[in-house]
Amino acid sequence: MWKNIKNSTKVWFEERYQLEEVVEKNVTKKLIPKGISLFRCMGGLALIAFLIQVGTGIFLVFYYVPSASEAFNSVQYIRHALPYGWLIQKVHAVTPYFMIVPLFAHMIRILFKGLYKNPRELHWVSGATLLVLTLLICYTGTCLPANNLSYWGVSSVGGEVAMPTMVTDHIVGAYNDGGMVSNRSFVTVYALHVACIPIMMCILMGFHFLMIRRTGVSEPL
Amino acid sequence: MADYSKGRNEEELEAFYPNEILRHILITFLFISAVMLGVMFLPESFQKSTDEFASFQTRPPWFLLPFYHVSSLINNRVWHVAILVIYAMTFISIPFLDRNPERSLWKKPIFLTIVIINLLMIFVLGLTRYLQ
C-alpha cells in the first residue's frame, strides 16, 4: 500500500512538474570537473551558516521584544525559561564567529586565484557585497540583546561604528543618555537585523547562485 | 546552464552525485561540530548594559575588532563613515580596478603587495584592539 501511495504521488508530481528530468540534469546525472579542492565548499558553508542563523533567528523573533525596557529581559527569558532556548540563543550568537571564517577563506581564495576575471566580475560584486552585509548584520545583532557587549560596541569604543549616521545617533545617543535606550533605536536596529539586511542578502544570494549556474565554477588552476 | 562535460573526456570528470554531495555533507557536519564546540566552550559574559558592567573584558566578535579600532582612531564621524564606505566600495569594485589580464595574484607584484598590506593592516588593527 505504501508503495502504491509513493508511486501515485510521484506520478502526480511528475505529470505536473517533470521533476525527474530536473533532478537528473542537476543532480544524479550531472558531471563536474575533477580536481576541485575542498576549499571550493567554503561558499556553501557560509550558506549553511546563514540558514542556521535564519532558522534560529525565526525562533528568537517569537520571544525577543525590541524595546528599551524589555530587550534584555526577553533574552534572559529565552535563555533561562524556554525549553532549549539557551541552546538556540547561543547557536545564534556563536555561529557568526564561524560563519565569517569560510566567507573570508572563500573571498581570499578567489582574490588570490583571480577567479573574478571575465566573465565572473558580477560574481565578485555580489559576493563582496554579501560579505559587507554579513558584517553589518553581525554588528546589528550584537546591539540587540542590550547586554554589556552591546554597550561596549556602541558606546565604549567612542561611539563611532560602521553604521549609517542616523542609526548610530539613535543608539549611541540613547546609550549615553544615562544608560537608557529609546524604543525607536531598538526598532530601527531590529528592522535592519531581521528584515532589511536579510532580504538584501537573499536577493544577492539568488543573483550569486544564478550567475554561478550560468557560467559554472572556474577552472581549477 | 554550464555544461562541464563539453571539451573534457570522461577521465577529467566525476559525478556530482554522490561524490560532490558527500564532500559537502562531510564539510557541513564538520562545520556544525565546530559551532557546537563553540556553543559549549566559548566563554560569554551576558550582563545587563550599564556603565558598571561595560568592561573591556567583554569583546565584540573578532571579525568586528578592526572596524571598532578604526572608529577609535578617527574622531571625525563623517570621515569615519566615508573611509569605511570608500573601503567597502573599493573592495567590491576589485574586478573593475584590476585590468591586468593575468589571473594569478602571485604574478602581479604591485597588486599582491597592496592585498598583503591590507590583510596585514586588518590583522594588526584587530589584534591591537584585542590586546587593549
Side-chain angles (χ1 to χ4, degrees), chain B residues 13 15 19 23 25-26 28 41 44 86 92 106 112-113 125:
Chain B
L13 295 165
N19 299 17
R23 271 199 291 269
I25 289 171
L26 280 172
T28 301
F41 297 113
E44 70 171 344
I86 291 168
I92 290 167
W106 302 108
L112 176 68
T113 312
L125 281 172

Side-chain angles (χ1 to χ4, degrees), chain A residues 155-205:
Chain A
S155 177
S156 301
V157 290
E160 299 285 345
V161 280
M163 288 284 288
T165 311
M166 184 188 75
V167 180
T168 55
D169 277 347
H170 273 307
I171 308 167
V172 176
Y175 265 107
N176 287 341
D177 187 18
M180 292 297 289
V181 189
S182 73
N183 285 340
R184 186 182 287 183
S185 313
F186 271 102
V187 174
T188 307
V189 178
Y190 186 62
L192 283 169
H193 186 73
V194 303
C196 303
I197 301 175
I199 288 170
M200 281 194 278
M201 286 178 81
C202 287
I203 292 168
L204 278 170
M205 268 187 245

Side-chain angles (χ1 to χ4, degrees), chain A residues 124 132, chain B residues 82-94 96-97:
Chain A
W124 173 274
V132 173
Chain B
I83 285 171
L84 287 177
V85 170
I86 291 168
Y87 198 80
M89 293 305 291
T90 311
F91 178 66
I92 290 167
S93 316
I94 282 177
F96 307 105
L97 299 173

Side-chain angles (χ1 to χ4, degrees), chain A residues 23-78:
Chain A
V23 172
E24 271 183 8
K25 194 179 168 191
N26 294 292
V27 184
T28 52
K29 290 192 177 169
K30 186 178 172 182
L31 294 170
I32 55 167
K34 260 184 186 171
I36 295 173
S37 75
L38 284 175
F39 275 106
R40 219 200 69 193
C41 300
M42 294 294 128
L45 273 190
L47 173 68
I48 296 289
F50 180 78
L51 293 177
I52 292 173
Q53 290 300 84
V54 170
T56 51
I58 287 171
F59 172 85
L60 295 174
V61 159
F62 285 104
Y63 298 100
Y64 175 76
V65 183
S67 94
S69 55
E70 287 303 311
F72 185 80
N73 294 336
S74 64
V75 179
Q76 287 292 68
Y77 175 76
I78 292 166

Side-chain angles (χ1 to χ4, degrees), chain B residues 5-65:
Chain B
S5 57
K6 271 185 190 168
R8 289 187 177 90
N9 57 39
E10 273 187 26
E11 285 173 1
E12 292 172 313
L13 295 165
E14 66 173 329
F16 176 74
Y17 174 84
N19 299 17
E20 182 72 359
I21 297 277
L22 189 64
R23 271 199 291 269
H24 276 274
I25 289 171
L26 280 172
I27 293 278
T28 301
F29 273 110
L30 278 175
F31 180 76
I32 292 172
S33 309
V35 171
M36 284 307 165
L37 285 173
V39 167
M40 284 191 286
F41 297 113
L42 269 183
E44 70 171 344
S45 163
F46 201 87
Q47 289 159 326
K48 201 170 174 69
S49 60
T50 61
D51 282 323
E52 190 184 345
F53 288 122
S55 86
F56 282 83
Q57 295 303 312
T58 306
R59 293 187 173 91
W62 62 270
F63 48 87
L64 292 178
L65 286 169

